Structures are given as C-alpha cells and as structure tokens.
Amino acid sequence: MRPFTAPQLNPASETGWRRTWFDIIYRHDTPVSRNFDLLLVVAILASVLAVMLDSVASIHLRYARLLYGLEWMFTLLFTVEYALRLLVVRRPLRYALSIWGVIDLLSILPTYLSLLIPGSQSLLVVRVLRILRLFRILKLTRYVEESGVLVQALWRSRRKIFVFIFAVVTIVVIAGALMYAIEGPDNGFDNIPLSMYWAIITVATVGFGDIVPLTTTGRFITSVLVLIGYSIIAVPTGIYTAELIGNLREMDQEARSHDTRGCPGCDLEGHARDAHHCRRCGHRLPVPMA
Amino acid sequence: MRPFTAPQLNPASETGWRRTWFDIIYRHDTPVSRNFDLLLVVAILASVLAVMLDSVASIHLRYARLLYGLEWMFTLLFTVEYALRLLVVRRPLRYALSIWGVIDLLSILPTYLSLLIPGSQSLLVVRVLRILRLFRILKLTRYVEESGVLVQALWRSRRKIFVFIFAVVTIVVIAGALMYAIEGPDNGFDNIPLSMYWAIITVATVGFGDIVPLTTTGRFITSVLVLIGYSIIAVPTGIYTAELIGNLREMDQEARSHDTRGCPGCDLEGHARDAHHCRRCGHRLPVPMA
Amino acid sequence: MRPFTAPQLNPASETGWRRTWFDIIYRHDTPVSRNFDLLLVVAILASVLAVMLDSVASIHLRYARLLYGLEWMFTLLFTVEYALRLLVVRRPLRYALSIWGVIDLLSILPTYLSLLIPGSQSLLVVRVLRILRLFRILKLTRYVEESGVLVQALWRSRRKIFVFIFAVVTIVVIAGALMYAIEGPDNGFDNIPLSMYWAIITVATVGFGDIVPLTTTGRFITSVLVLIGYSIIAVPTGIYTAELIGNLREMDQEARSHDTRGCPGCDLEGHARDAHHCRRCGHRLPVPMA
Amino acid sequence: MRPFTAPQLNPASETGWRRTWFDIIYRHDTPVSRNFDLLLVVAILASVLAVMLDSVASIHLRYARLLYGLEWMFTLLFTVEYALRLLVVRRPLRYALSIWGVIDLLSILPTYLSLLIPGSQSLLVVRVLRILRLFRILKLTRYVEESGVLVQALWRSRRKIFVFIFAVVTIVVIAGALMYAIEGPDNGFDNIPLSMYWAIITVATVGFGDIVPLTTTGRFITSVLVLIGYSIIAVPTGIYTAELIGNLREMDQEARSHDTRGCPGCDLEGHARDAHHCRRCGHRLPVPMA
C-alpha cells in the first residue's frame, strides 16, 4: 500500500489562474479551499441523493424531469471540476489513471453515454463511489488521528486477518461441498458455489433462510458449522483488540519515556526518568524537568 | 453534551410547601424522596404495562374499560406530578423545555388530545420514554460507578466509533447501489434506499430473508459484504475494549503512583503508601501527604 | 450467590453403610466415588437421549415399548439414588429443598404422575436439567480452575452486565412501541409485546424474518436499531474482556510480589522484591530467595 | 495434539531418484521443491474448481465431456503423486494412515470407484479437503509466525473454550426440550433434536426463520435465549483476546527483563541493554551476556 503522494502543481505556471485553482482544488488548509471542499461534499451528497431518489418508482413518476435536470447539472459541474483537476495538476495522465481520477471519470461518463445508448444511465450509481472522496477530506480534520489509529491497527494485523479469512474460506469450501452432497438440488442446494454462498451466510450468522437444510444429517452439520462460526468470530476481534491495545501501550511507554535530557558528556538521549547518570558514559545528567 | 445541571429550588420560598415538595421530587437521598422515587418508578412501569396490554387485541376486548380507567388515573397522576415539578423548580420554563420536561408533557398530552381527536390515544406509547427517568434515579444508587465507567469509555471512544459508523454507512451506500444495479426491482431490490436497508440488515448479520439476492453476481457481492461485516464487527469491540482497559490501567497507575515521597537518604522513589522507611537504605521517610 | 456448601454426613452413623454410601455419592475423590459419578453421568446422558429419541415420531412408532421400558428403568434407578441421597445426608430436608434436590425430584416425578394423569410423561423433558449435575462433577476435575476464572470474571462484571441488559431492554421497549405505532397490526406488528419480541430478535442480530417492517419509516427505524445493536454488542465483550485481563494482571502481580520474607523486627510481610529494609520499622530484611 | 513429525527419507537409498523426489515432494525450501509446491497448489485449486463447476447444471450440460476429461487427468496426476509419496518416504504405511495420506487416497478413490459403481463420482467433493494441504505449505512462508500466534492462543485457551461449548450445549439441550414442550409439532418443533437444532441456530444469532415460535410463552423463552446468546458471545472473545494479549505481554516482558546485570556500585538492576554505566550512581556496568 504505497502512501498516497500529494498531487503537485503543473509547473507551466507557478503563478496565474492555474496556481489559484490548484490551491483551491488540491489544498485543504486555506479558507477558500475549505469552502471548495465543503461545496464539493454537498454537491456529491446531493447528486448521490438524486440518484437514490430517482430509483424510487413513485418519485421517478412525478419528478423525472426535475431529477433529469439535476443529473445534467451535476454532470456538467463534475465535468468542469474534472477538467480543472487535469489542467492544473503537474502530471494529468497520472491523475487520470489514479483511483480517484478513474472514479471521477466514471461518475460523469454514464450521463454522456446515455445520449448514445439509452438506459446506460443506470450506471450512474457509480457516482456514489465519489463519496469516498469524503474520507480524503476528513483526513485533514481532527478525525485524522483517530482513524489513523484504527487503520494502523488494521494494517498491522493484516497478515493475521488474512490467515483468518483463509481459514474461513477453507471451512466454507468444505462445508459447501458437504452440504451439496448431503442435501442436494432437491432441498435447494443446487450446486457447490450456491452451497458455498449458503455456508458464508450461515457461518457469518446472517442466516437469510431462503436456503435451509432439511435432512437430519444436514442439520447436524449446520449446527457444527454455526458453532464454529460462533467461536471463531472471537478471532478477528481478539487480533484487532490486541493490536489496538498494543498501540496504546506503545504510546504510553513513549509518553513515559518522554525524558528529553541529552547527556552533557556524549549527547545520548532517551534516558530513564529516574536516571542520574548517563547509561553510556556515566556523566552526571541534569535534573529532569517536571 | 452539556453535563446535566441539577434543578434548583424556586427561590420564592426557601421554606414552606415548595421546599418540602422540591426535596421530595428533586432530591434522591432522603427516605421520603426515595419513597417518592420508588412510587414513581412503579407508576411509570405500571402505566407502560397498561399501554402494552391495551395493545393486545384479546385483552383490549375484555378489559377495555378497566384499562381506559387506568389510563386516565395515570394521566391525572402524572399531570399533578408535572404541575408540581414546574411549581417548585427555580426556572420552570427551562425545566419545561429540557428533554425531561418535554417527555413528561408528551406522556400526558395524548390522553387529553384523545377527547378532541379520537384515536390520538395511540400516541400514548410515547409514555414508555418516561422509563428513561429510571436511569437518572439509578444514577444515584450503587450502579452509578459501574455505568459511569461504561459511559465514560463510550464517550472517550466517540470519535473512533463515529469514524467506524461513517465507514459502515459508506459501505452500505455503495453495496446498496451495486445490488440495485445487479438484482433490480425484479428480484425485490425495488430502489436504492431499499437496497441500502437490505445492506444494513445484511452487513450487521441480521438477515431477515424477506429480500435476498437471486443472481450469481448478487450472491457473490453479498458473500463479500457479509465477510466484510463479519470482519469489521471486530472494530467497535476492539475500540471499546481498549478504552475500557485503558481506563482500568489508568486507575491502576493512579493508585500506584500516589506516593510522591523521595527518600531523604538515597532519593529512591515509588514507596508503598504505608511505608515509614526507605526500602533500600532504611532511612526514615517523611509523612505522606493526604 | 451463596457459595455452595458441601453436604455433610448424617451423624446418626459415623460408620456403617451410611458412611460408605455417603462417600460414594457425595465425595468425588475416591476410585469408587469416581466410578459412581461416571455411571451417573452415563445414566443421565442415556436417559436424556431416550427422552429425545422418544420425541421423534418415526422412532416412537417403532421403539415405543423399548423406550417406555427404559424410561421406567431410569426412573427407578434415579428414585433409588434420590432415596439414598436423602438417607445418608445430614439434613435431608435441606437437600430436598436445594436446587439439586428439586431437580432430582422433578426428574422422576413425571413418570409416576403419568400413571394417574395420562400424557404428563411429556414433562419428563425436565430430566434434561439433571445434565447440570455434570457441572458439579466437572468442578472437581482439571477444568475447575478454568471455569473458575470464567465464572469469577462474569460474577465481577455482573453490575456492568446488568446496566447493559437494562439499557438493551429500554431500547427494546421504546423500539417495540415505536414500531407498533408505525407498522401496526396490518404489517404483522400485532401488539406491543410482539413488537418488543421482534425488537429483541432484531437488535441481537438474529432476524428470523417472520415479522419484517414494510413501511419506509419502519425500515429506517429498523436500520438505526440494527446499527445500535451492532455497535453495543461491543459493550458486553469489552466488559468481559477487561475483567478477564484484569484477573490475569492480578494473578501476574501476585506472582511477581511473591516475596515471602517477614521482617525480623516487626513481622510485616509483603515487601517489594528489591527491598533491603522493612518499610515500616527500617530493620534490615533477609536476602530474598530465588 | 502431537506436533507433526516431518516425514523422513526412505533409507533404502540415500542417493538416487528417491533422494531427488523426496527433496522435491517433502522439502519446501529449495527452488525445485517450491515450484513443485506451487504446481501442486494450482492443480488442487483447479481440480476443486472443476468439481465445483461440474455441479452447476447449466455448465454440466455443456462441458460434461471436458470436465470428465479433466477429472481423469487430475485423478491420474494425484495418483502418481500419491504413489511417489509412498515410494520415497521412510515408513509408507505410517504416511498412508496419517490424516494427509487418507485425504490423498480419498481424493483419488471416487473416480476409480465410479467405474464399478456409477454415481459414486459425487464423492469427489472430498477432494476439496486436499485444500488443507495449503496450510502446511503456507506454514513455511512468512505467515508461519502469525498463524503460530493465533493457533497457540487458541490452543492455550482450549480448556476455557471447551467449558464454554459445554455450557452452550447445556443451554441448547434445555432450551430445545422446553420449546418442544411449549410449541410442539403443531408449530414446527417436531421433536427434541429438531428443537435443539433450532436453539443452536437461534442462540448463535443465525436465525434462518424456517422454524419460529408462535406462542407467547415460546416467544418469551426465545427472547431470553437470544439475550443469553447475545451476552455470552462475549465469553469466547474475552477468552481469546485475553490469551492473545497475554502472549503479547509475555513477549514484551521477556524482551525487557533480558538484562540481568546488577550494578557493582549500588546493586541497582533493570538496566537498558545498551547501558554501560549505572543510571543511579554512574558506576561502570559489566558487559552484558548474549
């Protein structure tokens, strides 16, 4: 996971309108750019809401024209924003091919496509992905530290979680094949992939109930599967909690060892709070500050 | 979340019946006021029970008159209590507009309204909100410390939980839009808001089963959604547990580090609270501060 | 929760058959009594299995006579055991009225009752409660320590769990009343108690799907309820985990502070491992043992 | 759980083709053997995929011949591999009777059996168990440490988890018998084993909804059962998390207490590993041991 590299200004013009718009669009720390961010968030949420409402039959019947107008308005707005982003950034192609650039493009394309191929409008739902942009903006608010801790803990436990997911998938494959062999198409377990879908729904304790075991053996295996699922749900929680607490303890120890005295003799830092002498050269240390 | 400020006595009369009733109603530490609290709790529970039972058709058929009588009795009782609360408190309007005052009013209003607009009685269910008052009374019992720890940990992890809820909502919006596009109205995913409702029910592993995916792609996406839900349920648990344990450790360290005396003979710190002599050199220690 | 007091021998005869049978039945540490325990466990499991199998229509049709015979055999066996328990114990009435005595009686009574009132045999399912006796026997094996830790942690967090259950019940009452008002009997929410049942099933993420919201408002409230349920499932886990870890840390500290030196001057114990002098009188301490 | 003992070379030939193939098949640290492992994983996944696809009716109709060919190809491949494994290993019978040997045999047998008994091919689903072999190969990659920690924590909490499962089963037996007595065959609770299946599905919060309580008493008991299930899900999570954190702390303390030097000047212990001088008196410390 390569850390996201901030976009850089198109060097063509260090000053001028490009500089102005680059600061507005890509920076998030000036009043103007913050207002732009706010406007963008409102526009994204409003356009997503419009797509949502348009999908409701009764609303579509009455407000189809209004919503159609809004769709074009948002599309044009986002098109202008997309064009600006490409114009002012240093490496337009790189931005266009980045995940954010692709989402931006996909969120305007369906409306234009619908002129050529009627019905492709329904692809507009892709626009909801733009909501992810909110996360990038949020990253710059006070929530940055909190989400940082959460994501860091997730990232540090990624291998353990991968092992866990692998174990769950193995259980699902075996349980799916077993249930297909036992229950079979007569009881709704039409094929192994469908049985595996059922096993995932069951082991994760969702249990839709559209497919259920009807034989005694099938029910017994389901019981075992459910108890396994019930027990191993502890595993990701345990992994994640241990990681979060580990983080906490580290911060704790860092805070405790917040002794900033440098040795007058050898410049060594990081002494224990109760140390009177440097642990390397034995030189007397200054009295620590409260 | 402004900490709740205890109501104050109407200054009109420092003594007299107002003083007496203020002490009975708003204080919770005298025998009389405790009896009042107990009576109030019983009355609230009984009135809620009456509303509940009245909603059962078979009971309504046989005991409609009795329950109607009880309803008026409780309404009058709570009206008197409401009037008293306003009369004896220092700033009646402030109380009336506080959340508790509004609930108190809403819990008596429907009965009076039903004289004008028949059928508005069904709004009486609002009365169950008065049950929340139990919490305030409980706050003054031995459970205060326990619930304090729980709420404090929740409050301290509010930002992390907000980030988590935001992530879940984003997943739900995207999954809802995707499933609407894939399954569509033919398979019960009538519109995006309904699909989002389904996604919430699914990701939280409830799984009613009234709406289920029927296409292979839909089932695959559902499987992924369910596995995500199954994995991230670890996050709030991890957050909360880490916070609770952090609380515990803090209390622990506070208790341990409560002795700040240094030995006059050898400067050693960290003595037990009941120590009279240094554990290293045996020098007499100063008397610990309270 | 009064700690269980071990039954004592009937003082009538310190020796003789009473002594023998008391040791066999109530002690669990001699070869003979262990064999008796094993036999009892097998008999309980077999009788429970017989009750289970008899409830299956196809098995009942073919083996009704055999299972009827087994039922009487187990009943007579448990009757003899019950009589012996009463005869050899010091205070028979106290045993008879203890929870174990009542279960023992209830597990034999239905068979006798079925002679007078046909059909009361179905009450035999009570016999499964005897399975709880297994726990008492297990308590004396190597699992004692493990289950002790688990139960102790549960017991120490009982107040916190009570506060949690109280909060859940309040949410359920309010959600139930709301859903009854919104969805109403037309959509299957027949009355408030039924709505509360639905709310419990939903908030605990079971979601049978026999009752589901059909209105938009109802679905919105359900979504909120589900997200609340999804979030607060963290609370009991957090409580319990923190308690278990607290236990662990305590054991840890106890082990670490395992300094058994008494002060030669004043007999004070519980010194820090690195103490050279008594913290009360300053007397020099002996060198600690490895 | 006897730690897995690595297979040893057939001593008949320390050199020659046996040595070569032993290294290829049973070692996992040479380039050739790693390629063999990779090939094996691909073959296993492909054969499992073929079995899965063959179970889908529409695919079976069109590609039955191709999939039949693939099945024989994989069967012959795995037969050759199985033969090689037996030939080069030191104790072939021991390998054949080990869990891996049995799975290997079961994964090829059904195809041959289908020549004698038509239809036994459906047993081929057993082949998916070969997927477990992936775990052994994974054990030698960087995931070894991670999964080691997870499994170790599970293993150390096995007694606690057993006690927990035993408690759940007891609850399930009692709830199943109760619900059978209350709801009975008329409401779908046909017999006690079926009721127990329902109780497991319910207490684990799966809730298929094919069997649901219809009486008021039954619903009340279900609510209690669900709340119990909701509360005790905390137990395995608590156990596992505490164990994982315990592991973490141990590693921590081991790392910290790794310096056993006492100061020759003042006897102070607990120096940092890189300390050359006592942090209290500045006396030169002895060189730390490796």
Side-chain angles (χ1 to χ4, degrees):
Chain A
M1 208 158 86
R2 195 165 52 88
F4 180 77
T5 52
Q8 283 180 298
L9 178 63
N10 187 329
S13 48
E14 256 300 310
T15 55
W17 67 271
R18 272 200 171 112
R19 158 105 253 162
T20 315
W21 279 102
F22 180 86
D23 286 354
I24 292 173
I25 293 178
Y26 287 104
R27 292 180 63 181
H28 309 275
D29 50 0
T30 65
V32 180
S33 71
R34 291 189 80 86
N35 285 340
F36 176 81
D37 284 348
L38 197 67
L39 207 85
L40 191 62
V41 166
V42 171
I44 290 172
L45 289 179
S47 73
V48 167
L49 197 70
V51 173
M52 274 185 199
L53 291 177
D54 199 37
S55 77
V56 181
S58 61
I59 293 175
H60 182 76
L61 274 177
R62 293 182 59 180
Y63 302 104
R65 286 182 67 90
L66 173 66
L67 291 166
Y68 187 74
L70 279 173
E71 186 196 315
W72 272 103
M73 195 196 80
F74 285 123
T75 302
L76 293 175
L77 201 81
F78 291 150
T79 308
V80 171
E81 184 218 342
Y82 182 63
L84 270 173
R85 281 185 189 271
L86 289 182
L87 280 174
V88 303
V89 88
R90 190 175 187 168
R91 303 165 85 182
L93 195 67
R94 191 173 168 185
Y95 181 80
L97 294 177
S98 78
I99 209 164
W100 301 109
V102 171
I103 289 175
D104 286 356
L105 184 63
L106 284 177
S107 75
I108 51 175
L109 223 57
T111 317
Y112 296 114
L113 267 176
S114 69
L115 295 179
L116 302 172
I117 314 152
S120 58
Q121 249 156 309
S122 68
L123 293 171
L124 258 184
V125 291
V126 174
R127 189 170 284 169
V128 299
L129 287 176
R130 286 210 93 195
I131 222 171
L132 289 174
R133 197 174 277 279
L134 288 183
F135 276 105
R136 282 190 55 207
I137 296 168
L138 270 177
K139 275 181 80 171
L140 297 148
T141 72
R142 61 210 299 197
Y143 289 91
V144 58
E145 198 189 344
E146 308 289 340
S147 60
V149 169
L150 295 185
V151 169
Q152 205 185 330
L154 265 181
W155 180 243
R156 282 167 59 168
S157 50
R158 70 190 179 286
R159 285 222 191 91
K160 287 203 198 69
I161 284 176
F162 176 82
V163 170
F164 170 73
I165 296 266
F166 184 73
V168 168
V169 168
T170 307
I171 290 169
V172 160
V173 171
I174 292 169
L178 264 177
M179 291 301 284
Y180 169 70
I182 290 163
E183 296 279 336
D186 293 344
N187 293 347
F189 292 77
D190 289 351
N191 49 60
I192 296 183
L194 183 64
S195 290
M196 283 168 57
Y197 159 72
W198 170 88
I200 289 177
I201 297 300
T202 302
V203 88
T205 76
V206 176
F208 283 131
D210 52 342
I211 309 166
V212 289
L214 295 174
T215 66
T216 305
T217 324
R219 281 171 172 158
F220 180 75
I221 289 173
T222 305
S223 302
V224 173
L225 184 66
V226 161
L227 283 182
I228 290 175
Y230 195 53
S231 300
I232 62 174
I233 204 170
V235 176
T237 308
I239 294 169
Y240 192 72
T241 307
E243 208 63 62
L244 260 187
I245 291 172
N247 262 11
L248 218 113
R249 182 177 304 137
E250 248 167 57
M251 288 185 195
D252 221 56
Q253 282 175 350
E254 218 168 281
R256 216 184 299 156
S257 69
H258 217 57
D259 191 295
T260 54
R261 297 176 294 170
C263 172
C266 72
D267 278 342
L268 187 73
E269 288 188 349
H271 300 285
R273 294 279 300 164
D274 64 343
H276 297 171
H277 291 268
C278 173
R279 69 179 187 276
R280 184 153 68 196
C281 67
H283 200 288
R284 182 134 200 118
L285 292 170
V287 178
M289 269 159 287
Chain B
M1 208 160 85
R2 193 166 53 88
F4 179 76
T5 52
Q8 283 182 297
L9 178 61
N10 186 330
S13 48
E14 256 300 310
T15 55
W17 66 270
R18 274 199 168 113
R19 158 104 254 161
T20 315
W21 278 103
F22 180 86
D23 285 354
I24 292 174
I25 294 178
Y26 288 105
R27 293 182 62 182
H28 308 275
D29 49 0
T30 64
V32 180
S33 71
R34 292 189 79 88
N35 285 339
F36 176 82
D37 283 348
L38 196 67
L39 208 85
L40 192 62
V41 166
V42 170
I44 289 172
L45 289 179
S47 73
V48 168
L49 197 69
V51 173
M52 275 184 198
L53 291 176
D54 199 38
S55 76
V56 181
S58 61
I59 293 175
H60 181 77
L61 274 177
R62 292 182 59 180
Y63 302 105
R65 287 181 68 91
L66 172 68
L67 290 166
Y68 187 75
L70 279 173
E71 186 196 313
W72 272 104
M73 195 198 79
F74 284 123
T75 303
L76 292 176
L77 200 83
F78 291 150
T79 309
V80 170
E81 184 218 342
Y82 182 62
L84 270 174
R85 281 186 187 271
L86 289 182
L87 280 173
V88 303
V89 88
R90 189 175 187 169
R91 303 165 85 182
L93 195 68
R94 191 172 169 186
Y95 180 82
L97 294 178
S98 77
I99 209 163
W100 301 108
V102 170
I103 289 175
D104 285 356
L105 184 63
L106 285 177
S107 75
I108 52 176
L109 225 56
T111 316
Y112 296 114
L113 268 175
S114 69
L115 295 178
L116 303 172
I117 314 152
S120 58
Q121 249 156 307
S122 69
L123 294 170
L124 259 183
V125 292
V126 174
R127 188 170 283 170
V128 299
L129 288 176
R130 285 211 93 195
I131 222 171
L132 290 174
R133 195 174 279 278
L134 288 182
F135 277 105
R136 282 190 56 206
I137 295 167
L138 271 177
K139 275 181 80 171
L140 297 146
T141 72
R142 60 209 300 195
Y143 288 91
V144 58
E145 199 190 344
E146 309 288 340
S147 61
V149 169
L150 295 184
V151 170
Q152 206 185 329
L154 265 181
W155 180 243
R156 280 168 59 168
S157 51
R158 70 190 178 286
R159 285 222 191 91
K160 287 204 198 69
I161 284 176
F162 176 83
V163 169
F164 170 73
I165 296 267
F166 184 74
V168 168
V169 168
T170 307
I171 290 169
V172 160
V173 171
I174 292 169
L178 264 177
M179 291 301 284
Y180 169 71
I182 291 163
E183 295 280 336
D186 292 344
N187 293 348
F189 293 77
D190 289 350
N191 49 60
I192 296 183
L194 183 64
S195 290
M196 284 167 57
Y197 159 72
W198 170 88
I200 289 177
I201 296 300
T202 302
V203 88
T205 76
V206 175
F208 283 131
D210 52 341
I211 309 166
V212 288
L214 295 174
T215 66
T216 306
T217 324
R219 280 170 173 159
F220 180 74
I221 289 173
T222 305
S223 301
V224 173
L225 183 67
V226 160
L227 283 182
I228 291 175
Y230 194 55
S231 299
I232 62 175
I233 205 170
V235 176
T237 308
I239 295 168
Y240 192 72
T241 308
E243 208 63 63
L244 261 187
I245 291 173
N247 262 11
L248 218 113
R249 183 180 303 137
E250 247 166 59
M251 289 182 194
D252 222 56
Q253 281 176 350
E254 215 166 285
R256 215 183 304 155
S257 70
H258 229 53
D259 192 295
T260 55
R261 297 175 294 170
C263 172
C266 72
D267 280 342
L268 187 72
E269 288 188 349
H271 300 285
R273 294 279 300 163
D274 64 342
H276 297 169
H277 290 267
C278 173
R279 69 178 188 275
R280 174 176 310 280
C281 67
H283 199 289
R284 183 137 198 114
L285 291 171
V287 178
M289 269 158 286
Chain C
M1 207 159 86
R2 194 164 53 85
F4 179 78
T5 52
Q8 285 180 295
L9 178 63
N10 187 328
S13 48
E14 257 300 310
T15 55
W17 66 272
R18 272 196 169 115
R19 160 103 255 162
T20 315
W21 277 102
F22 180 86
D23 286 355
I24 292 173
I25 295 178
Y26 288 104
R27 291 181 64 181
H28 308 274
D29 50 0
T30 63
V32 179
S33 70
R34 293 189 78 89
N35 285 340
F36 176 82
D37 283 349
L38 197 67
L39 207 85
L40 192 61
V41 166
V42 170
I44 290 172
L45 289 178
S47 73
V48 167
L49 197 70
V51 173
M52 277 183 196
L53 291 176
D54 198 38
S55 76
V56 181
S58 61
I59 294 175
H60 181 77
L61 273 177
R62 292 181 60 180
Y63 301 104
R65 286 181 68 90
L66 172 67
L67 290 167
Y68 186 76
L70 278 173
E71 185 196 314
W72 272 104
M73 194 197 81
F74 284 123
T75 302
L76 292 175
L77 200 81
F78 291 150
T79 307
V80 170
E81 183 219 343
Y82 182 62
L84 269 174
R85 281 186 188 269
L86 289 182
L87 280 172
V88 303
V89 86
R90 190 176 187 168
R91 304 164 84 183
L93 196 67
R94 192 172 167 185
Y95 181 81
L97 295 176
S98 77
I99 209 164
W100 301 109
V102 171
I103 289 175
D104 285 356
L105 184 62
L106 285 176
S107 75
I108 52 175
L109 224 56
T111 317
Y112 295 114
L113 268 175
S114 69
L115 294 179
L116 304 171
I117 315 151
S120 58
Q121 251 157 305
S122 69
L123 293 170
L124 259 184
V125 291
V126 174
R127 189 170 282 170
V128 298
L129 287 175
R130 285 210 93 195
I131 222 172
L132 290 174
R133 196 174 278 278
L134 288 182
F135 277 105
R136 283 189 55 204
I137 295 168
L138 271 176
K139 275 180 80 170
L140 296 145
T141 72
R142 61 208 301 195
Y143 290 90
V144 58
E145 199 190 344
E146 308 288 340
S147 61
V149 169
L150 295 184
V151 169
Q152 206 185 330
L154 265 181
W155 180 243
R156 281 167 60 169
S157 51
R158 70 190 179 284
R159 286 221 191 90
K160 288 203 197 67
I161 284 176
F162 176 84
V163 170
F164 170 73
I165 296 266
F166 184 73
V168 168
V169 168
T170 308
I171 290 169
V172 160
V173 171
I174 292 169
L178 265 176
M179 291 302 284
Y180 169 70
I182 290 163
E183 296 280 335
D186 292 345
N187 292 348
F189 293 77
D190 289 350
N191 49 59
I192 297 183
L194 184 63
S195 291
M196 284 168 56
Y197 160 71
W198 171 87
I200 290 177
I201 297 299
T202 302
V203 88
T205 75
V206 175
F208 283 131
D210 53 341
I211 309 167
V212 289
L214 295 174
T215 66
T216 305
T217 324
R219 281 170 173 158
F220 181 75
I221 289 173
T222 305
S223 301
V224 173
L225 183 67
V226 161
L227 283 181
I228 290 175
Y230 194 54
S231 300
I232 61 174
I233 205 170
V235 176
T237 308
I239 294 168
Y240 192 72
T241 308
E243 208 63 62
L244 260 187
I245 291 172
N247 262 11
L248 218 112
R249 183 178 302 139
E250 245 167 59
M251 287 182 196
D252 222 55
Q253 281 175 350
E254 217 166 283
R256 217 183 301 155
S257 69
H258 217 56
D259 191 296
T260 54
R261 296 176 294 171
C263 172
C266 72
D267 277 345
L268 187 73
E269 287 188 349
H271 300 285
R273 295 278 300 165
D274 64 343
H276 297 169
H277 291 267
C278 173
R279 67 178 188 276
R280 185 153 68 198
C281 67
H283 199 291
R284 183 135 200 117
L285 292 171
V287 178
M289 269 159 287
Chain D
M1 206 159 86
R2 193 164 54 88
F4 180 76
T5 52
Q8 283 180 298
L9 178 62
N10 188 330
S13 49
E14 256 300 310
T15 55
W17 66 272
R18 272 198 170 115
R19 157 105 255 161
T20 314
W21 278 103
F22 180 86
D23 286 355
I24 292 173
I25 294 178
Y26 287 105
R27 292 182 63 181
H28 307 274
D29 49 1
T30 64
V32 179
S33 72
R34 291 189 80 87
N35 285 340
F36 176 82
D37 283 347
L38 196 68
L39 206 85
L40 191 62
V41 166
V42 170
I44 290 172
L45 289 179
S47 73
V48 167
L49 198 70
V51 172
M52 275 184 196
L53 291 177
D54 198 37
S55 76
V56 181
S58 61
I59 293 175
H60 181 78
L61 272 177
R62 292 182 58 181
Y63 302 103
R65 286 180 68 89
L66 173 66
L67 291 166
Y68 186 75
L70 279 173
E71 186 195 314
W72 272 104
M73 194 197 80
F74 286 123
T75 302
L76 292 176
L77 200 81
F78 291 150
T79 308
V80 170
E81 183 218 343
Y82 182 63
L84 269 174
R85 281 185 188 272
L86 290 182
L87 280 173
V88 304
V89 86
R90 189 174 188 170
R91 303 162 86 184
L93 195 68
R94 193 172 166 185
Y95 180 81
L97 294 177
S98 78
I99 209 164
W100 302 108
V102 170
I103 289 175
D104 286 356
L105 184 62
L106 284 177
S107 74
I108 52 176
L109 223 56
T111 316
Y112 296 113
L113 267 175
S114 69
L115 295 179
L116 302 172
I117 314 153
S120 59
Q121 249 156 307
S122 68
L123 293 171
L124 258 184
V125 291
V126 174
R127 189 170 282 170
V128 299
L129 288 175
R130 285 210 94 196
I131 221 171
L132 290 173
R133 196 174 279 277
L134 288 182
F135 277 104
R136 282 189 56 204
I137 295 167
L138 271 177
K139 275 181 80 171
L140 297 146
T141 72
R142 61 210 300 196
Y143 290 91
V144 58
E145 199 190 344
E146 309 289 340
S147 62
V149 169
L150 295 185
V151 169
Q152 205 185 332
L154 266 181
W155 180 243
R156 281 167 59 168
S157 49
R158 70 190 180 284
R159 285 222 191 90
K160 288 203 197 68
I161 284 176
F162 176 83
V163 169
F164 170 73
I165 296 265
F166 184 74
V168 168
V169 168
T170 307
I171 291 169
V172 160
V173 171
I174 291 169
L178 265 176
M179 292 301 285
Y180 169 70
I182 291 163
E183 296 279 335
D186 292 344
N187 292 348
F189 293 77
D190 289 350
N191 50 60
I192 296 182
L194 183 64
S195 290
M196 284 168 57
Y197 159 72
W198 170 88
I200 289 177
I201 296 300
T202 302
V203 89
T205 77
V206 176
F208 283 131
D210 53 341
I211 309 167
V212 289
L214 295 174
T215 65
T216 305
T217 324
R219 280 170 173 159
F220 180 76
I221 289 174
T222 305
S223 302
V224 173
L225 183 67
V226 161
L227 283 182
I228 290 175
Y230 194 54
S231 300
I232 61 174
I233 205 171
V235 176
T237 309
I239 295 168
Y240 192 72
T241 308
E243 208 63 61
L244 260 186
I245 291 172
N247 263 11
L248 218 113
R249 181 178 304 138
E250 246 166 59
M251 289 183 196
D252 221 56
Q253 280 175 352
E254 216 166 285
R256 212 183 305 156
S257 70
H258 231 54
D259 192 296
T260 55
R261 296 176 294 171
C263 171
C266 73
D267 278 344
L268 187 72
E269 288 189 348
H271 300 285
R273 294 279 301 163
D274 63 343
H276 297 169
H277 290 266
C278 174
R279 67 177 189 275
R280 175 174 309 280
C281 67
H283 199 290
R284 183 137 200 116
L285 292 171
V287 179
M289 269 159 287

